[in-house]
Amino acid sequence: MALGPGKAGGVQVYGSQLLSHLHQPLQPARCAHHLHHLDKGMKKDGPGDAFWSRPESRIWTVMLLLGTCLLYCTRVAMPICAVAMSARFDWDKKQSGLVLSSFFWGYCLTQVIGGHLSDRIGGEKVLLLSASAWGSITALTPLLIYLGSAHLFLMTVSRFIIGILQGVFFPALASLFSQKVRESERAFTYSTVGTGSQVGTLVMGGAGSVLLEWYGWESVFYFSGLLTLLWVYMMCKYLLNEKEIIIPFEDLAKGLSMSKQSKVPWKQLFKKAPVWAVIVAQLSAASTCFTLLSWLPTFFKETFPDSKGWIFNVVPWLVAIPASLLSGFLSDQFINQGYKTITTRKMMQVVGSGVSSIFALCIGHTTSFCRAVALASACVGLQGFNHSGIAVNVQDLAPSCAGLLFGVANTGGALLGVVCVYLAGHLIESTGSWTSVFHLVAMVNVFGLCTFLVFGEAQRVDTDSAYVDL
């Protein structure tokens, strides 16, 4: 396991060499110099001994894939149940849009603080804290909504709180991977874990549709909430020790604070054009993904009322899984073969935001159910290439505060997602046509892509002399 910067010109110390070297007696005069030399090498390229070994990386990747899957199971529970709940509680499109968008209002509030907290106390701890909370609330949602007659208000508040709790998830992942995964393996690892978003949507699209038809909308929330709590239990039992699970209040308070020693130099970071490029591209991609996630089930249900829900809720996300894995494989292969990192990131993003937008434009112009499913599958599937583009570019730019920077970018995405999800409902209500919704998705995607292509870079921007490491 490399502790030095390696190719950058520093000294490399491998695990076997380090162990044999440490067993040799050190002269007192040389001991301090030796430790200083190792410490200097580690600080330059990050804590090298913190990288996961390959077996550890595989286990964590699988478990985090499951966690992301369950994140999306709970997230898409509401879109899948939206039509049934609207009929049950007599909501119109604007009221449905309010409930659907309330998730993103909460989601945008905790992105930055979640990323900063993950950089300070560890992303795995933040993941488990949030998952245990959102799993509990999701499982209790059917009980909470019947506490009073204000069903719309109670459901809106419930989704808002779940958004707050899930807002820390992806910034925590970005922070965790920047500290635990090597750069040459980062795209495939992130894209693999990122497929959990499609797997979760796929599972909930299939199982959720069956549960909805057989047992009612309440069963969908019970299913996703209880499975999330089971995942938290498995993580605590098999992957983390007691010290990693228990977070002292003092450590939590320190993680939430920004002291002078750990304060992020906003002026230094946000003077860099590449930082703004990845933020704009991320907020564009996230908001359009949220819009499709929220409204596609309703589009198919209303446009093709005789169609089976499990088809349009399953097939697009099934296609997205191999597409996302392929993007990660291709990205790492290109980099290992000598392609520039930024060139690779931009190629992935052209597919993820550009080509997918072409298929989005076509969805609203077809009258064939099979063709609509094929176009939606291509659109959603190709968006998986974003996992190997802008999603890992954040870690390229600022590995020492990747969680926080990703949180800033995702906050913008959540805010724009709120606007787009609500605007989509308003457009449907006003025009009576779905074409305008898919035009909105394409326009936002293309704007973010063009910004990233012009200004995107992959050099670190957190190594300025004025920068203070978190």
Side-chain angles (χ1 to χ4, degrees), residues 180-218:
K180 299 290 187 179
V181 181
R182 291 173 176 81
E183 182 182 359
S184 60
E185 303 171 359
R186 204 169 282 161
F188 184 73
T189 302
Y190 194 92
S191 63
T192 301
V193 172
T195 59
S197 60
Q198 289 88 30
V199 174
T201 308
L202 171 65
V203 169
M204 189 52 66
S209 297
V210 173
L211 289 171
L212 179 63
E213 184 176 349
W214 289 0
Y215 302 107
W217 66 267
E218 296 91 345

Side-chain angles (χ1 to χ4, degrees), residues 7 51 54 177 181-190 328-337 341 345 395-396:
K7 293 180 181 179
F51 286 143
R54 288 191 180 275
F177 289 157
V181 181
R182 291 173 176 81
E183 182 182 359
S184 60
E185 303 171 359
R186 204 169 282 161
F188 184 73
T189 302
Y190 194 92
F329 173 77
L330 291 176
S331 180
D332 287 347
Q333 284 293 108
F334 287 153
I335 291 174
N336 289 331
Q337 290 178 9
T341 301
R345 304 293 188 235
Q395 299 165 46
D396 298 330

Side-chain angles (χ1 to χ4, degrees), residues 344-357 385-386 449 452-453:
T344 302
R345 304 293 188 235
K346 288 181 178 180
M347 285 192 295
M348 298 297 109
Q349 201 59 36
V350 166
V351 178
S353 291
V355 180
S356 67
S357 294
F385 277 70
N386 293 338
L449 173 62
F452 184 66
L453 290 178

Side-chain angles (χ1 to χ4, degrees), residues 45-382:
D45 203 35
D49 60 345
F51 286 143
W52 287 326
S53 64
R54 288 191 180 275
E56 287 176 322
S57 182
R58 291 191 189 101
I59 295 172
W60 274 93
T61 299
V62 170
M63 290 303 293
L64 291 173
L65 168 63
L66 291 175
T68 309
C69 170
L70 292 168
L71 176 91
Y72 270 78
C73 281
T74 57
R75 184 177 296 186
V76 303
M78 182 60 215
I80 286 177
C81 297
V83 174
M85 294 182 72
S86 296
R88 170 68 177 80
F89 299 114
D90 196 25
W91 297 339
D92 60 25
K93 286 290 189 301
K94 290 182 180 179
Q95 290 173 320
S96 296
L98 177 63
V99 175
L100 290 169
S101 64
S102 64
F103 172 89
F104 302 106
W105 281 112
Y107 190 72
C108 68
L109 295 179
T110 50
Q111 297 282 329
V112 176
I113 193 64
H116 176 64
L117 186 62
S118 300
D119 291 334
R120 299 296 301 281
I121 70 172
E124 67 280 6
K125 297 178 182 179
V126 175
L127 290 174
L128 291 180
L129 278 174
S130 63
S132 59
W134 91 60
S136 300
I137 293 176
T138 302
L140 293 173
T141 293
L143 302 177
L144 294 173
I145 198 172
Y146 286 116
L147 286 178
S149 58
H151 305 302
L152 180 65
F153 173 77
L154 291 171
M155 197 64 206
T156 301
V157 171
S158 173
R159 296 297 293 176
F160 175 77
I161 294 173
I162 291 175
I164 286 176
L165 295 168
Q166 290 197 356
V168 304
F169 190 88
F170 285 106
L173 277 185
S175 176
L176 185 62
F177 289 157
S178 70
Q179 297 167 17
K180 299 290 187 179
V181 181
R182 291 173 176 81
E183 182 182 359
S184 60
E185 303 171 359
R186 204 169 282 161
F188 184 73
T189 302
Y190 194 92
S191 63
T192 301
V193 172
T195 59
S197 60
Q198 289 88 30
V199 174
T201 308
L202 171 65
V203 169
M204 189 52 66
S209 297
V210 173
L211 289 171
L212 179 63
E213 184 176 349
W214 289 0
Y215 302 107
W217 66 267
E218 296 91 345
S219 62
V220 178
F221 289 89
Y222 293 140
F223 175 76
S224 56
L226 293 176
L227 280 182
T228 299
L229 295 177
L230 177 61
W231 176 77
V232 171
Y233 171 77
M234 298 294 287
M235 287 284 289
C236 292
K237 185 173 179 62
Y238 296 108
L239 281 186
L240 300 174
N241 57 45
E242 187 176 347
K243 289 183 178 180
E244 292 174 312
I245 295 172
I246 299 174
I247 306 174
F249 180 77
E250 296 79 6
D251 292 350
L252 188 61
K254 289 179 181 178
L256 291 171
S257 67
M258 285 190 177
S259 62
K260 290 183 179 179
Q261 287 76 23
S262 63
K263 190 174 181 180
V264 177
W266 301 103
K267 290 183 179 180
Q268 295 296 327
L269 284 177
F270 292 115
K271 284 180 180 178
K272 310 288 186 179
V275 171
W276 282 108
V278 75
I279 288 175
V280 171
Q282 173 66 21
L283 69 88
S284 299
S287 62
T288 54
C289 179
F290 295 154
T291 304
L292 292 174
L293 190 66
S294 297
W295 285 110
L296 268 182
T298 306
F299 162 75
F300 278 103
K301 196 69 177 177
E302 293 192 348
T303 308
F304 308 100
D306 297 328
S307 60
K308 295 293 184 181
W310 67 267
I311 297 178
F312 58 76
N313 283 328
V314 168
V315 175
W317 312 103
L318 183 63
V319 172
I321 296 171
S324 183
L325 293 173
L326 176 64
S327 75
F329 173 77
L330 291 176
S331 180
D332 287 347
Q333 284 293 108
F334 287 153
I335 291 174
N336 289 331
Q337 290 178 9
Y339 285 84
K340 289 184 178 180
T341 301
I342 188 57
T343 302
T344 302
R345 304 293 188 235
K346 288 181 178 180
M347 285 192 295
M348 298 297 109
Q349 201 59 36
V350 166
V351 178
S353 291
V355 180
S356 67
S357 294
I358 297 175
F359 291 102
L361 287 171
C362 298
I363 296 174
H365 295 280
T366 183
T367 56
S368 165
F369 174 69
C370 292
R371 194 177 297 120
V373 171
L375 292 170
S377 300
C379 176
V380 172
L382 292 178

